[in-house]
Structures are given as structure tokens and as C-alpha cells.
């Protein structure tokens, strides 16, 4: 889109008024925001499913007490380049009933680090923080940690 003057915009082969240009752009932005929300929800679901799967595999590994299973576990973790801390984060997230509740899927961030910080909060307290909007989908790790630290 080329700007020909202050009142007209050329889009391809036709002239578009500023109000049409802004209206079209507004619709584009709305579509992108909706797409972003869909992907964030998918990202959250993926984080939870990864955590559940890792948790199940880790429990299986502990129960089996087999060097073969230990080797398979280590190969899996190595393939995804997960540190023990990363595995712990995913598992803790997946074990938190508030974070895995569909009720709050649009109210919590979709970052592993932010979700892990939230997983450290007692479920009842976490639910209250979400319901009071002290925790939102845009809350970052630092903000969340500040909510739980004592001065």
C-alpha cells in the first residue's frame, strides 16, 4: 500500500480513503488477535500435555527401576534437550489443578516460566488471584513472583 497524499491510499490498483484503510486494517488486526488467542490456547494445552506425558513417563521410570527404562528416559530427555529443571517445570504445571482447569485457560499466561511460577502458588490462592485479575494472560514471571514474595 503506497501513500499518495494525506487523504488517499493506493492499494494495488485502486485508491482507498483513510477511513476505509483504517477499517480494513482494524479487521486485519482483529483477525490476527483472534489467531494469536487460538495459538496461545493451543500452546497452553501443549504445555499441559507435555507435562502430563513427562509425569507419566517419569512415574513409570521410577516404578520400573530398570536400567533399560532409565536409558530410554535419558535418551528422550536428551533428544528434546530438556534439563532436569525443565522437566520439573512441565510436570509441576501439569499437576496443578487450577492451571489445568479449562475454566481458566483464557486467564493465564502460556509461557512455561510464568506457568511454573503460578504452579508454586497454592491452588486456592491461585484461583483467587486469577478471579481478582491480579494474574492475567499477560502476566509475566517477574510480576507473578512479586505477588508471592514477602517484603
Amino acid at each position: 500500500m503506497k501513500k499518495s497524499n494525506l487523504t488517499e491510499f493506493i492499494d494495488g490498483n485502486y485508491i482507498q480513503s483513510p477511513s476505509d484503510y483504517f477499517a480494513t486494517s482494524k479487521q486485519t488486526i482483529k483477525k490476527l488477535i483472534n489467531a494469536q488467542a487460538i495459538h496461545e490456547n493451543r500452546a497452553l494445552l501443549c504445555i499441559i500435555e507435555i507435562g502430563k506425558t513427562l509425569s507419566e513417563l517419569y512415574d513409570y521410570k521410577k516404578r520400573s527401576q530398570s536400567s533399560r527404562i532409565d536409558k530410554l528416559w535419558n535418551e528422550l530427555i536428551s533428544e528434546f534437550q530438556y534439563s532436569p529443571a525443565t522437566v520439573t517445570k512441565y510436570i509441576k504445571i501439569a499437576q496443578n489443578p487450577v492451571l489445568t482447569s479449562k475454566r481458566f485457560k483464557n486467564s493465564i499466561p502460556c509461557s512455561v516460566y510464568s506457568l511454573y511460577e503460578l504452579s508454586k502458588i497454592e491452588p486456592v490462592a491461585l484461583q483467587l488471584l486469577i478471579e481478582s485479575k491480579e494474574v492475567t494472560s499477560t502476566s509475566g514471571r517477574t510480576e507473578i513472583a512479586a505477588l508471592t514474595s514477602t517484603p
Side-chain angles (χ1 to χ4, degrees):
M1 189 163 299
K2 299 175 188 170
K3 185 175 173 184
S4 61
N5 63 41
L6 294 176
T7 59
E8 297 177 337
F9 296 90
I10 299 174
D11 184 10
N13 294 324
Y14 69 95
I15 296 174
Q16 188 176 34
S17 72
S19 59
D20 287 344
Y21 173 61
F22 276 83
T24 303
S25 297
K26 182 178 177 181
Q27 292 303 315
T28 300
I29 291 169
K30 281 183 179 181
K31 287 178 187 174
L32 291 169
I33 289 171
N34 287 336
Q36 179 184 15
I38 289 168
H39 290 294
E40 286 174 354
N41 284 334
R42 287 182 185 158
L44 177 61
L45 292 174
C46 289
I47 290 167
I48 291 167
E49 287 306 312
I50 290 168
K52 286 179 180 178
T53 304
L54 288 171
S55 181
E56 290 167 4
L57 287 170
Y58 186 75
D59 288 345
Y60 178 70
K61 174 181 135 16
K62 285 189 334 188
R63 283 191 317 272
S64 73
Q65 298 181 350
S66 157
S67 60
R68 180 172 179 258
I69 300 300
D70 287 346
K71 183 180 181 219
L72 290 170
W73 169 262
N74 291 335
E75 288 172 357
L76 176 97
I77 298 307
S78 177
E79 181 177 335
F80 295 113
Q81 299 179 348
Y82 284 171
S83 68
T86 300
V87 171
T88 299
K89 285 178 178 68
Y90 277 99
I91 291 173
K92 293 289 185 187
I93 292 164
Q95 291 174 339
N96 187 294
V98 176
L99 298 178
T100 58
S101 170
K102 290 182 180 178
R103 177 177 171 206
F104 299 116
K105 71 178 183 176
N106 295 321
S107 306
I108 57 177
C110 61
S111 155
V112 171
Y113 296 105
S114 296
L115 290 167
Y116 179 64
E117 286 300 320
L118 292 174
S119 75
K120 297 176 186 178
I121 302 171
E122 289 296 318
V124 173
L126 177 56
Q127 183 172 336
L128 291 172
L129 288 170
I130 295 169
E131 288 172 346
S132 68
K133 302 207 185 315
E134 290 182 71
V135 170
T136 67
S137 62
T138 60
S139 296
R141 173 175 47 174
T142 307
E143 296 169 84
I144 295 164
L147 287 172
T148 60
S149 64
T150 52

